[in-house]
Amino acid sequence: MGLRRREVTAAKKVWAAALGQLQMQLPRSAFDTWLKNTAGISIEDGTLTVSVPDAFAGEWLEKRVYQMVRGAASRIANAPTEVSFIIERTAEPGPPIAAPRRPAQDAPASNGHVPNHRYSFESFVVSPCNSLSYNAAQAVAASFGRYYNPLFIYSGVGLGKTHLLNAIAHKCIERRINYSYVTSEGFTNEFITAIRQRTTEDFRCKYRSVDVLLMDDIQFMNGKEQTLEGFFHTFNDLHNANRQVVITSDKSPSAMPYLDDRFRSRFSWGLITDIQRPPLETRVAILQAKAQEMGVRADNESLTCVADQSYGSVRDLEGKFNRVVATAQMEKAPITPALARRVLQEMDGAEDLSILSPDQVIKAVQRIFKVDQADMTGSRRKREFVLARQAAMYLLRKRLKLPVARIGAILGGKNHATVVHGIKRITFELHDNGPLKDKMAAVKEELTSHLP
Ligand code: ADP
Ligand code: MG
């Protein structure tokens, strides 16, 4: 039809001229990445439709430069013009990845996920406690599907798993690779909805058409048999097609008894890495980076004070530092070691654990110190057992405020002097015994998670 052809020609012309303007307004790299392979498709009722090669380009244009694009189109068309983007892959090949890409129709966006801009590889402080996971994540992002597939990263809470997954997501966007980031809770919910609405076929297509699947916190699938089965098939299909899968968890696969052996054996085809709690120097380095990012001035001595008082997760460390910064700003005072110490002291008394039962405390100590019930209440003098008992004494006294006599009784009939000595020793060692601090922090973290 003549009219239709005129429309197409007009759209092509308007967009080509708009591109000319945009080229001058945008950095070259951005223009080349996001606009070069686009074309005007039609112009109708004040809307110019433009084809983009994939969902990422569309998303980027919509989110980042829409006003600029609309302005250019409106100026050229000489009328207010909205721009809408549709995906239409041109002949231009995508980035090299292991498996051939599928046609554009079933290419999902990044599953609606927008990676947190703070969570990049550049902002991740690398040290021996996390370098294996960091390097593996980088290697994966440099060659999706080729090495370490699947990559399985595990650690306690707040040590950087989600950060690394987001860093990989940034790389996917940069390289225009189709990825999907999903938490196991999100995956479970979608799966249940799909079953209820009889759209499991769409669900399968959606996940099977991604090039990179980033699955965060797989431990929450614990006990959800059908979802695990669904994930297993998705995983297999992706893996067989050389698509990259990255999984995080709070435990290693071997410590997840509910996982099918099929999973365990498949995970071992790839690489399993962990992240340990960062030592003092790393914690200080993380705070330095954070202070710089926030644009606040803080000397190393103050940062060391904070790092010294936070031996749990990086999240805890950041939380404490934020409090120090906020207090300094409120009081219009500089950050000094004295101020840091004061704020931390105020924070420390804050968690009231007195509603927990002695049994909960002892169980947590047993788990973290890896000591069983019998040795906890027994009298064997092995160093580890003694230390675990003393840690329990300390927590029962300082946190649960139990009388010394009762503590002695709970721990298998220890006398008054033994309990008092145990508490003193822990108090003393907490000043400079790093590993002990870490363990006590882990126990405290576990106990706070029991709080209502
Ligand atoms: P997880 O997913 O393991 O529970 P997160 O990735 O959410 O932990 O990390 C918690 C916080 O700590 C985030 O703000 C993250 O940016 C920060 N963080 C963790 N590890 C590092 C690191 N090595 N360098 C910089 N920031 C870190
Ligand atoms: Mg996380």
Side-chain angles (χ1 to χ4, degrees), residues 119 156-163 165 181 216-217 219 248 315:
Y119 295 173
V157 293
L159 294 179
K161 299 182 295 296
T162 300
H163 187 132
L165 284 189
Y181 167 93
D216 208 358
D217 286 327
Q219 73 271 13
T248 71
R315 186 172 297 136

Side-chain angles (χ1 to χ4, degrees), residues 136-177:
Q138 273 217 318
V140 157
S143 64
F144 291 107
R146 244 184 307 154
Y147 305 110
Y148 311 140
N149 199 9
L151 171 61
F152 189 106
I153 302 175
Y154 70 95
S155 79
V157 293
L159 294 179
K161 299 182 295 296
T162 300
H163 187 132
L164 287 177
L165 284 189
N166 276 265
I168 296 175
H170 283 297
K171 291 288 174 203
C172 290
I173 291 182
E174 225 172 272
R175 298 181 49 200
R176 299 166 157 220
I177 286 170

Side-chain angles (χ1 to χ4, degrees), residues 36-226:
K36 221 167 159 193
N37 300 309
T38 58
I41 299 286
S42 70
I43 188 162
E44 229 174 327
D45 300 331
T47 298
L48 170 67
T49 301
V50 171
S51 71
V52 294
D54 56 43
F56 295 115
E59 223 170 87
W60 191 85
L61 292 167
E62 285 273 359
K63 288 216 174 93
R64 309 288 283 276
V65 290
Y66 186 74
Q67 296 306 332
M68 196 191 281
V69 169
R70 184 173 62 179
S74 303
R75 272 193 303 278
I76 305 287
N78 222 344
T81 304
E82 298 293 328
V83 180
S84 89
F85 302 101
I86 59 165
I87 302 166
E88 197 163 288
R89 202 159 276 156
T90 54
E92 177 81 21
I97 58 163
R101 298 185 66 112
R102 298 169 191 196
Q105 303 85 278
D106 64 0
S110 54
N111 206 10
H113 175 252
V114 179
N116 185 324
H117 72 277
R118 290 198 305 115
Y119 295 173
S120 62
F121 281 121
E122 292 72 27
S123 67
F124 195 85
V125 175
V126 188
S127 87
C129 68
N130 58 31
S131 61
L132 199 57
S133 294
Y134 173 86
N135 288 331
Q138 273 217 318
V140 157
S143 64
F144 291 107
R146 244 184 307 154
Y147 305 110
Y148 311 140
N149 199 9
L151 171 61
F152 189 106
I153 302 175
Y154 70 95
S155 79
V157 293
L159 294 179
K161 299 182 295 296
T162 300
H163 187 132
L164 287 177
L165 284 189
N166 276 265
I168 296 175
H170 283 297
K171 291 288 174 203
C172 290
I173 291 182
E174 225 172 272
R175 298 181 49 200
R176 299 166 157 220
I177 286 170
N178 238 316
Y179 78 97
S180 185
Y181 167 93
V182 67
T183 62
S184 60
E185 283 151 314
F187 188 87
T188 305
N189 291 342
E190 271 184 62
F191 189 67
I192 292 170
T193 308
I195 291 173
R196 209 174 43 225
Q197 301 179 341
R198 298 169 205 274
T199 50
T200 44
E201 209 32 57
D202 295 350
F203 175 84
R204 287 164 70 158
C205 272
K206 173 177 159 191
Y207 280 103
R208 273 151 225 216
S209 61
V210 300
D211 296 313
V212 177
L213 177 63
L214 307 171
M215 163 66 74
D216 208 358
D217 286 327
I218 195 183
Q219 73 271 13
F220 292 123
M221 281 194 200
N222 180 9
K224 306 192 176 100
E225 291 302 323
Q226 217 182 344

